[in-house]
Amino acid sequence: MKCIKTYPIYGYHAEKKLYVHIVTPKKDHRFTALDIISSYNVKVDPEYKIETASDDTGTYYRKVARKYQIPLFG
């Protein structure tokens, strides 16, 4: 886990914002983290919700194919 400063994913912003970048060694750990974030977001006010850049729970190769627009079938 590391802190990074970058522009938000959505909308125009003149300044970079602080984000937490989390990398997990296994997809199961990633799914657990997404579940924790999801359950947290249900309990808090909208202004305190955690926004995820990628909450895709599909298999990794399909996630990468979508991200980079790689066709999986001929």
Side-chain angles (χ1 to χ4, degrees), residues 4-5 7 10 12 16-17 19 21 28 30-32 36 43 50 52-55 58 60 67:
I4 58 171
K5 242 186 158 176
Y7 294 104
Y10 302 108
Y12 171 78
K16 293 181 177 182
K17 292 188 174 191
Y19 291 92
H21 182 233
D28 294 338
R30 183 172 181 275
F31 295 157
T32 300
I36 291 168
K43 298 174 186 176
I50 298 172
T52 58
S54 176
D55 56 359
Y60 183 73
K67 180 177 180 181

Side-chain angles (χ1 to χ4, degrees), residues 1-69:
M1 181 166 63
K2 64 181 178 179
C3 292
I4 58 171
K5 242 186 158 176
T6 188
Y7 294 104
I9 297 168
Y10 302 108
Y12 171 78
H13 296 274
E15 296 183 18
K16 293 181 177 182
K17 292 188 174 191
L18 189 61
Y19 291 92
V20 177
H21 182 233
I22 300 172
V23 178
T24 58
K26 297 181 179 182
K27 67 177 179 145
D28 294 338
H29 297 168
R30 183 172 181 275
F31 295 157
T32 300
L34 288 172
D35 286 342
I36 291 168
I37 291 169
S38 178
S39 65
Y40 170 81
N41 283 343
V42 169
K43 298 174 186 176
V44 298
D45 291 329
E47 65 180 292
Y48 298 111
K49 286 187 177 185
I50 298 172
E51 182 181 353
T52 58
S54 176
D55 56 359
D56 189 344
T57 57
T59 57
Y60 183 73
Y61 73 92
R62 290 193 180 277
K63 177 180 183 280
V64 171
R66 276 191 296 277
K67 180 177 180 181
Y68 294 105
Q69 297 178 350

